Amino acid sequence: MLKILKNFSLTLLSSLVSLLTSAIIVLIIPKLIGVREYGFWQFYNLLASYVGVIPIGWIDGMFLKLGGKRYRELEKGKLKTEFIVFMIAMGVISLIVLFYGLFISIGEYRFITIGLGLTIFVYDVRAFISFVLQATNRITENAIITFISSILYLIFTIILLLLNVHAIFAFIFANILSITLSLIYALIKVRDIFQAKSESFESVSGDILDSIRVGIKLLISNFSGMLLLGIVRMGIERAWSIETFGKVSLALSLSNMMMVFITAISMVMFPILRRVSDDRLGEVYSIMRVVLMTGLFTALLAFIPLKILIVNWLPKYFESLYYLPLMLTTVVLQGKFELLSNTFFKVYRMEFQLLVVNVLSFIASALMTAIFAFFIKNLSALLVSVLVVMLLRSWISEIYLTKHLKINLYRDQFVELFMIVSYVLLTWGNPSNLRMLFFVAILVVYLLIERNNLVKSVRFIKKFRNYEID
């Protein structure tokens, strides 16, 4: 019990620092630089979010294979050799991207490409270590790695702002430096792996190929899931302008701050759920769903302070308010999918089903982007369409899972639809205070209806805290 609480506490602290860093980046940088420059900064962030695709499922498969094991049970000699091979592979790819940035890219895109090349190496090498720590339930060390990266990035950003440095490439390299220093700490924490005697490449080549074979489906499904919004943002950058891209990205960045906690909780829950007996997973899912959706629906009220913030602090991004309700709702559905569906798909080793759901959703999102961005050129319709795709993805994934979990979620899905539609209709545009109060009233009614389930959830969590995982 104490270990679970410690993992959650440290992960929460790390997430709070990440949230503080994100808040400064999201709120201060657009205040100090132009809308065009902010658009390029967001474009780098968009591309950097996909560098985890470069290993083509290698570390994703390793994560699935190691999930639930103790760290002391690892074959460290093989892991050392595998890490060295992985580092060489990432180094070669990083050099190729750097060459392209130095000699082919032009203008602002040159700094973005160079930064991307450096990010590929340090981020993916660190991700290898983080996945090992997460899979073996060394959540404390992994949380500290994230904490170091976030706090250093926060410090570097503040220093740049105090020195009145507003160049985009400076913030890009501050991010890379913070990741690099956290990577050094990560290497120190797993130094016993490097102290082990290396195995031959032939002895690990089969494991590497097997990890790629296992992980490629998870990678494609995760990549497709990430591209649900990514393809829309790329379409906006192509069909409209870097300024419009920046304004939509600001709304998404403000919404995404809540995803910091969702991702952190998901990292903690996977190794725990791998050790829960199958006959209890349905109960755990129902409890997690009630608690999560209550929290996410309540988080939608963040629109009120965010509206005040944009109007008074970032008036040149006033247009972002128009997109904010759609982005907040989209992030709520994304958060639900990441913590519930994605986690339980991995627990059940249903990588193929996860792949099908995400690829079909990506295809739908790509089609909507092509239609509404390049033919009809209606930004609002494009953002609504991706919200619908997110909702359908969430429901389809639950149809797959309920067959294994043996639970009925039709009532919950209907309530979810009602809450989302009510929120969008009441907050889209420039809502009056009366409309916001009406949604607050709907939320209160929802909490009253779900009060018995919430009480049951609290009781169950108290019992679950006593579940020994080590």
Side-chain angles (χ1 to χ4, degrees), residues 84-96:
I84 292 171
V85 175
F86 180 85
M87 194 163 54
I88 293 171
M90 293 305 103
V92 171
I93 295 170
S94 181
L95 287 173
I96 293 171

Side-chain angles (χ1 to χ4, degrees), residues 61 148 309-310 314 369 379 421:
I148 290 173
L309 191 69
I310 291 175
L314 299 171
T369 300
L379 183 54
V421 171

Side-chain angles (χ1 to χ4, degrees), residues 182-453:
S182 66
L183 169 60
I184 293 172
Y185 171 81
L187 291 169
I188 294 172
K189 296 307 293 184
V190 295
R191 60 185 178 277
D192 55 327
I193 292 177
F194 305 110
Q195 292 168 353
K197 184 179 179 181
S198 300
E199 300 284 342
S200 65
F201 173 73
E202 290 76 14
S203 67
V204 300
S205 58
D207 289 333
I208 293 172
L209 293 175
D210 186 55
S211 292
I212 293 174
R213 180 188 62 80
V214 172
I216 192 70
K217 291 181 288 187
L218 181 60
L219 172 73
I220 294 174
S221 64
N222 287 341
F223 183 53
S224 301
M226 292 170 63
L227 273 178
L228 277 178
L229 283 174
I231 195 71
V232 173
R233 294 175 68 190
M234 290 178 188
I236 292 171
E237 192 267 339
R238 294 287 94 185
W240 280 276
S241 65
I242 196 70
E243 288 84 1
T244 301
F245 172 83
K247 291 174 182 177
V248 174
S249 295
L250 176 68
L252 182 60
S253 296
L254 291 169
S255 306
N256 264 336
M257 286 195 288
M258 72 173 76
M259 278 297 293
V260 173
F261 295 98
I262 300 298
T263 304
I265 296 170
S266 179
M267 288 192 302
V268 174
M269 290 307 299
F270 175 67
I272 295 174
L273 292 174
R274 281 296 296 268
R275 300 176 192 176
V276 175
S277 59
D278 288 347
D279 59 333
R280 298 193 69 189
L281 284 174
E283 184 182 10
V284 173
Y285 186 93
S286 298
I287 296 300
M288 288 178 64
R289 195 184 197 282
V290 170
V291 174
L292 177 67
M293 294 314 297
T294 300
L296 290 177
F297 288 147
T298 304
L300 289 174
L301 296 177
F303 177 81
I304 298 172
L306 290 177
K307 176 186 176 181
I308 296 171
L309 191 69
I310 291 175
V311 170
N312 293 283
W313 179 251
L314 299 171
K316 60 185 176 182
Y317 291 89
F318 185 82
E319 189 181 343
S320 298
L321 275 177
Y322 187 75
Y323 315 122
L324 187 57
L326 294 174
M327 293 293 95
L328 280 169
T329 316
T330 299
V331 168
V332 161
L333 292 172
Q334 176 75 1
K336 174 199 168 188
F337 183 85
E338 290 299 325
L339 183 54
L340 290 177
S341 301
N342 199 30
T343 301
F344 277 81
F345 270 129
K346 288 189 286 187
V347 169
Y348 279 116
R349 293 302 302 272
M350 295 168 63
E351 293 91 2
F352 179 74
Q353 289 84 346
L354 180 61
L355 173 65
V356 170
V357 170
N358 276 334
V359 168
L360 289 177
S361 301
F362 164 68
I363 292 172
S365 183
L367 286 173
M368 295 301 101
T369 300
I371 293 170
F372 293 115
F374 298 104
F375 292 101
I376 300 177
K377 286 193 74 92
N378 188 315
L379 183 54
S380 298
L382 174 59
L383 297 178
V384 170
S385 70
V386 80
L387 173 59
V388 173
V389 171
M390 285 284 195
L391 183 62
L392 291 176
R393 179 179 71 151
S394 174
W395 286 357
I396 293 171
S397 67
E398 289 192 321
I399 290 172
Y400 273 120
L401 286 171
T402 50
K403 295 178 181 178
H404 291 266
L405 297 168
K406 297 179 176 60
I407 54 177
N408 189 318
L409 296 174
Y410 293 123
R411 171 193 171 276
D412 301 89
Q413 290 175 337
F414 175 78
V415 172
E416 180 182 323
L417 177 63
F418 175 78
M419 293 294 292
I420 288 172
V421 171
S422 299
Y423 179 77
V424 171
L425 292 177
L426 290 169
T427 59
W428 198 4
N430 189 17
S432 63
N433 293 334
L434 181 62
R435 286 164 63 184
M436 287 305 304
L437 284 173
F438 193 56
F439 177 75
V440 172
I442 292 175
L443 181 60
V444 171
V445 172
Y446 168 81
L447 293 174
L448 290 173
I449 292 173
E450 295 290 345
R451 65 185 183 279
N452 290 332
N453 287 330

Side-chain angles (χ1 to χ4, degrees), residues 2-27:
L2 290 176
K3 186 166 185 178
I4 295 177
L5 291 176
K6 183 180 179 182
N7 287 343
F8 272 113
S9 299
L10 287 169
T11 303
L12 180 61
L13 175 61
S14 175
S15 300
L16 284 171
V17 175
S18 296
L19 181 62
L20 179 60
T21 304
S22 299
I24 289 180
I25 298 300
V26 171
L27 299 176

